[in-house]
Amino acid sequence: MDGLIRGLVDVAIGGNQRRGGDDGGDDEGNSRDERSRSTWADVVSGEEEDQNRAGGSSHGRRQNLEENQWEKKGERIPIRHSNKEDQEENTYAAKVAEKQDFSESQQEDNDGWETVGKKKPARQSHKVQKEQWQDYKRPASEQHYSDEVETYGNLEPSQLELSGLSEACNKLWELDSNRLVPGNDYQIDCGDGKRVHERADMAEGLLFSWVSDEVFRKPTFARFCSLLDNYNPNEGYKEVVTEEERQEQAAFIEEISRTPVIKYLHKYLVLKDVAPGSYQEFKRMLTSLWFDLYGRGGTSGSSSAFEHVFVGEIKQSGGEQVSGFHNWLQFYLEEAKGTVDYQGYIFPRRRGEIPDSETQLLTIQFEWNGVLKSVSSTLVGVSPEFELALYTMCFFMGREENHIQLGPYNVNVKCYRLGNNRIGSAFPIAES
């Protein structure tokens, strides 16, 4: 008992000394209070247990978060959108959350404390082969393209394919000779699942464990990747396209035009009286459709179909949020740079459909430059030419919702227009 009394007296005296000490006393006390709250948040979230397993440090994680000027600490982003496609992407997120029967009381069941996610392991450096990318900026006369891709099968659309969009899109899937093989060309780790409104990081590691160097030596993959750094990700900033970047765009279209999926797309659209019979004119049509600039976020010439769908944009109005960004190669490259933080997959609508390392249609949550994308869907391992052909097909021949079959996957390809001749957004949604 005497020891207890002495301990209480010491605490009281120590507390008075801290309150009445030198000029730095208040700051020290506040700092200690903040550490106390943080420790309590760590205990509530179970981070301390995760750190013991991973050998990590909560101080290191907090320091990294403070150094990242984009970091958002579990905020719920206000929903204010000016573009229909952005509204629809957020409506999709809301519908997924509703399907999961996630109540507001559950969401606020943390007594106001920030949920701290699992610790990420040290990033493994991966050097992407970029040496040949500078060659893609050269004039057309100095470009070297791959030989015409040998085609296995008939490229002439069948009557069944001409009468049904799903059959035509599935044909594109079958013709994608550049599609990668999980476990052979790349490896993913889906981590754990979560609900849309949950902010805890449910992925202990990166989504991509590795991607083979050979992938980036594939001509269409390499030319596609060289385009991704040509854009300012902040929506509303006017894009400046140099002559070299225009050459990169033309070279990419030329490269993919040698593949079966693009040749089939051309034949299909010609038979539907949508595309010109001349292949050269068709390539110019694709270049215009995907790379011509248009206005978004109140600024003319600030966006394009390619930038929005494949690269992604960060909306500033109404609270920062990621818009677009549906390409797996962009995700991998940004994750390798440390600007993407994978947060886990979104629980599927039906039990028993948990994604694994073989899954090639994922619904996920991540942060890009510290800004949250609460729900996003992407086709993993498909070629750039396949995605461009798929969304082009749905834009010209489909509607806003296109329920199709892609190999083993039931997919709803959402496709939104800006006017009659521009793609505002396009992305896949996994269906039950």
Side-chain angles (χ1 to χ4, degrees), residues 126-144:
H126 181 90
K127 179 174 173 56
V128 177
Q129 301 296 325
K130 298 182 180 181
E131 289 77 9
Q132 75 273 32
W133 291 9
Q134 286 301 315
D135 295 339
Y136 301 156
K137 300 179 184 295
R138 294 180 177 177
S141 60
E142 299 179 22
Q143 293 290 322
H144 300 283

Side-chain angles (χ1 to χ4, degrees), residues 83 85-86 231 235-239 241 287-310 313 323-324 395 416-419 421-426:
N83 295 321
E85 64 273 11
D86 295 327
Y231 299 93
E235 184 182 295
Y237 284 78
K238 196 174 186 68
E239 296 289 351
V241 183
T287 303
S288 176
L289 177 66
W290 284 98
F291 294 106
D292 280 1
L293 296 176
Y294 53 70
R296 196 191 296 269
T299 304
S300 63
S302 62
S303 185
S304 68
F306 185 91
E307 178 183 7
H308 182 84
V309 174
F310 298 126
E313 298 174 288
S323 181
F395 174 76
Y416 300 105
R417 290 168 169 77
L418 288 178
N421 58 353
R422 291 171 179 167
I423 297 175
S425 185

Side-chain angles (χ1 to χ4, degrees), residues 26-273:
D26 289 340
D27 292 339
E28 182 182 354
N30 291 338
S31 176
R32 186 175 290 104
D33 289 343
E34 290 173 2
R35 287 197 298 272
S36 176
R37 286 194 294 270
S38 298
T39 303
W40 172 240
D42 293 347
V43 173
V44 171
S45 67
E47 185 186 39
E48 191 169 271
E49 180 181 348
D50 291 333
Q51 289 171 351
N52 290 336
R53 288 195 298 267
S57 165
S58 61
H59 172 70
R61 175 177 173 85
R62 285 193 296 273
Q63 184 179 32
N64 290 338
L65 293 180
E66 290 167 358
E67 289 174 353
N68 189 339
Q69 62 179 344
W70 292 91
E71 187 68 20
K72 296 297 176 186
K73 299 184 177 180
E75 298 173 348
R76 292 181 62 191
I77 297 174
I79 300 178
R80 270 180 56 193
H81 313 286
S82 58
N83 295 321
K84 182 177 182 181
E85 64 273 11
D86 295 327
Q87 293 174 342
E88 292 294 342
E89 287 197 41
N90 284 275
T91 300
Y92 166 49
K95 287 180 179 178
V96 172
E98 185 178 340
K99 290 282 186 181
Q100 295 170 336
D101 193 27
F102 187 77
S103 67
E104 186 71 19
S105 61
Q106 287 175 304
Q107 184 178 352
E108 301 298 336
D109 195 27
N110 56 6
D111 294 330
W113 295 103
E114 177 185 348
T115 302
V116 181
K118 298 182 179 180
K119 295 296 293 180
K120 301 279 188 184
R123 292 186 180 274
Q124 307 240 344
S125 61
H126 181 90
K127 179 174 173 56
V128 177
Q129 301 296 325
K130 298 182 180 181
E131 289 77 9
Q132 75 273 32
W133 291 9
Q134 286 301 315
D135 295 339
Y136 301 156
K137 300 179 184 295
R138 294 180 177 177
S141 60
E142 299 179 22
Q143 293 290 322
H144 300 283
Y145 298 102
S146 60
D147 295 332
E148 296 285 330
V149 177
E150 186 177 354
T151 302
Y152 299 94
N154 188 5
L155 292 182
E156 293 296 332
S158 67
Q159 286 301 316
L160 181 62
E161 292 158 6
L162 289 170
S163 61
L165 179 62
S166 179
E167 288 76 11
C169 291
N170 197 51
K171 181 68 172 182
L172 292 174
W173 176 272
E174 294 172 359
L175 289 172
D176 188 14
S177 57
N178 273 333
R179 186 170 64 250
L180 306 184
V181 179
N184 183 49
D185 298 310
Y186 68 93
Q187 185 77 39
I188 62 172
D189 181 359
C190 296
D192 293 331
K194 63 191 303 184
R195 301 177 189 273
V196 172
H197 293 301
E198 289 180 317
R199 292 296 176 259
D201 189 341
M202 301 303 293
E204 292 186 348
L206 310 180
L207 174 60
F208 285 92
S209 303
W210 54 268
V211 176
S212 171
D213 289 339
E214 293 302 315
V215 169
F216 300 98
R217 295 189 179 98
K218 291 176 176 285
T220 61
F221 284 70
R223 290 189 184 274
F224 176 84
C225 290
S226 73
L227 295 167
L228 297 175
D229 62 355
N230 290 349
Y231 299 93
N232 186 326
N234 297 300
E235 184 182 295
Y237 284 78
K238 196 174 186 68
E239 296 289 351
V240 177
V241 183
T242 67
E243 189 58 37
E244 288 183 339
E245 290 172 346
R246 293 187 190 280
Q247 179 54 51
E248 282 185 307
Q249 296 169 2
F252 169 69
I253 295 297
E254 177 61 37
E255 193 70 68
I256 67 173
S257 70
R258 297 163 181 262
T259 64
V261 289
I262 299 299
K263 290 180 179 180
Y264 176 85
L265 174 68
H266 176 241
K267 290 178 179 291
Y268 192 97
L269 295 182
V270 167
L271 291 174
K272 290 291 189 177
D273 294 324

